[in-house]
Amino acid sequence: MSSPGSRTTVIALLADRGYRLTAPRRQILDVLLASGTPLSAAGIHRRLENRRINLASVYRTIWVLLGLEALRATDAIGGEKRFELADPLGAHHHHLICQDCGRIEDLEGCPLEERVLRAVNRRVRRSRRFRIVEHELRLIGACADCDGAGRRTRARRRP
Amino acid sequence: MSSPGSRTTVIALLADRGYRLTAPRRQILDVLLASGTPLSAAGIHRRLENRRINLASVYRTIWVLLGLEALRATDAIGGEKRFELADPLGAHHHHLICQDCGRIEDLEGCPLEERVLRAVNRRVRRSRRFRIVEHELRLIGACADCDGAGRRTRARRRP
DNA sequence: CCGTAAGCTGCAAAGCGTTTGCAGTATGAG
DNA sequence: CTCATACTGCAAACGCTTTGCAGCTTACGG
């Protein structure tokens, strides 16, 4: 038994839906598995063993994995898109985003209590007829590297 | 006395920092004031009275306003950037984002309790040496238009 | 094993939102 | 009213993402 983001599950899913397990896909999957943080398409590409794999293939694989719901897209600061393997069913986590260097760290667990979530859900359902499917909490600030010692020189990202 | 996002304050801020109050800037400000929801650069441009104002000027004005901290950038779904005038000092709000049409609605108030926020702050400060400056809660789902009646045909946005 | 259909890949070019260089225009201080 | 200079429109440059195409690979059946 394995969870949505595990290697075997994703590979099984591919086969199951008629997708082929090709060398680029396997390597991209391995990069995602090895990374503890969401990666951009370029970030994935940079980490690939085989540097001859084309960036276009990275994008195409991202699309396939998103379609399988094995991958989750996260909006980094300034509209950059990053991707990480999906959490096990039912679980989810949030992100600490450094506004200086853009680095994203995972925050294990969700600080929003069930009680509060249900209340908000009910409220917007009634007042706006908006149905909440998921939520995302972004904690924005300065990471260990960028904080201390009088603010690094690294440029703050543009919007 | 007026708050950060008010017309007079922004105009005063411009003068104060040596910026000129030009026709394009005034119109862009009025579009932002009139809109109840964050707008993209193209969205602002589309709503301008004078359609001869160049999109590049919209971008340049956005930069100026961001610099004055009179404008706030929001990441819409899929990396699109949208902008809205800043909240009064100290206040903040969150967003309901429709994953179908991309529309963003404001959620008045913040469901995260002080108690909880302080706890998370302390926790990541200690365990990761991450200093949280602000937080952003994104409630993602289906808006009134896109929900009911067997899901509209509008394409779900790409990542 | 080997042959084959169709899914994939690399490459290069096209798309799209955003930024920048430039020459001319308009603002606001004196 | 005059003038220095901040600002604007335009067009070209940019950087990331997507797409068309011809050839390569995978998975499946024999």
Side-chain angles (χ1 to χ4, degrees):
Chain A
M1 182 65 217
S2 34
S3 49
S6 91
R7 196 166 201 282
T8 46
T9 313
V10 178
I11 291 178
L13 256 176
L14 282 169
D16 213 58
R17 306 269 202 103
Y19 291 109
R20 291 183 179 170
L21 180 58
T22 62
R25 285 183 184 160
R26 206 170 346 171
Q27 283 189 42
I28 290 168
L29 190 52
D30 285 339
V31 166
L32 287 167
L33 282 162
S35 165
T37 155
L39 297 174
S40 63
I44 295 171
H45 187 238
R46 209 175 311 122
R47 282 159 226 240
L48 288 172
E49 282 283 318
N50 180 355
R51 307 303 320 283
R52 308 168 44 100
I53 292 174
N54 197 277
L55 183 53
S57 299
V58 174
Y59 280 106
R60 285 188 277 229
T61 298
I62 285 173
W63 277 108
V64 170
L65 295 179
L66 285 172
L68 298 176
E69 306 202 12
L71 198 65
R72 229 178 99 72
T74 304
D75 295 321
I77 273 197
E80 202 191 350
K81 296 158 226 162
R82 303 205 185 185
F83 308 89
E84 64 186 336
L85 292 172
D87 284 317
L89 279 177
H92 74 278
H93 67 272
H94 297 291
H95 292 128
L96 301 167
I97 306 179
C98 177
Q99 66 190 173
D100 201 0
C101 68
R103 179 160 124 193
I104 301 184
E105 301 182 36
D106 287 345
L107 175 75
E108 43 291 333
C110 173
L112 274 144
E113 292 153 19
E114 270 307 325
R115 194 190 90 242
V116 176
L117 277 175
R118 264 199 299 273
V120 177
N121 247 290
R122 208 176 319 124
R123 184 171 136 216
V124 304
R125 186 92 186 101
R126 291 195 187 162
S127 64
R128 333 286 217 81
R129 305 208 301 117
F130 190 102
R131 184 171 49 83
I132 296 174
V133 173
E134 56 175 329
H135 68 269
E136 195 185 327
L137 179 63
R138 294 144 54 89
L139 301 167
I140 299 160
C143 72
D145 286 352
C146 298
D147 201 7
R151 175 159 272 152
R152 291 295 195 75
T153 35
R154 238 178 304 195
R156 180 174 177 146
R157 306 224 156 195
R158 313 196 107 199
Chain B
M1 182 68 216
S2 36
S3 50
S6 91
R7 196 166 201 280
T8 46
T9 313
V10 178
I11 291 179
L13 256 176
L14 282 169
D16 214 59
R17 305 268 203 105
Y19 290 109
R20 290 180 180 170
L21 180 58
T22 63
R25 284 185 185 158
R26 207 173 344 181
Q27 284 189 42
I28 290 167
L29 190 50
D30 286 337
V31 166
L32 288 166
L33 282 162
S35 165
T37 155
L39 297 175
S40 63
I44 295 172
H45 187 238
R46 209 175 311 122
R47 281 159 226 239
L48 289 171
E49 282 284 318
N50 180 354
R51 307 304 321 281
R52 308 168 45 99
I53 293 174
N54 198 277
L55 183 53
S57 299
V58 174
Y59 280 107
R60 284 187 279 229
T61 298
I62 286 173
W63 277 108
V64 169
L65 295 179
L66 285 172
L68 298 176
E69 304 202 15
L71 198 66
R72 231 179 100 71
T74 304
D75 295 322
I77 273 196
E80 202 190 350
K81 297 158 224 161
R82 302 206 185 183
F83 307 90
E84 64 185 335
L85 292 172
D87 284 317
L89 279 175
H92 75 277
H93 67 271
H94 297 292
H95 292 129
L96 301 167
I97 306 179
C98 177
Q99 65 190 175
D100 201 0
C101 68
R103 178 160 125 193
I104 301 184
E105 301 182 35
D106 287 345
L107 175 74
E108 45 290 335
C110 173
L112 275 144
E113 293 153 19
E114 269 306 326
R115 194 191 92 241
V116 176
L117 278 175
R118 265 199 299 273
V120 177
N121 246 290
R122 208 175 319 125
R123 182 170 136 216
V124 304
R125 186 94 186 99
R126 291 195 186 161
S127 64
R128 331 288 215 80
R129 304 209 300 116
F130 189 101
R131 184 171 50 85
I132 296 175
V133 173
E134 55 175 330
H135 68 269
E136 195 184 327
L137 178 62
R138 294 144 54 89
L139 301 167
I140 298 160
C143 73
D145 286 352
C146 297
D147 199 7
R151 174 160 274 154
R152 291 294 194 76
T153 34
R154 239 178 303 193
R156 182 173 175 148
R157 306 224 155 194
R158 314 195 106 201

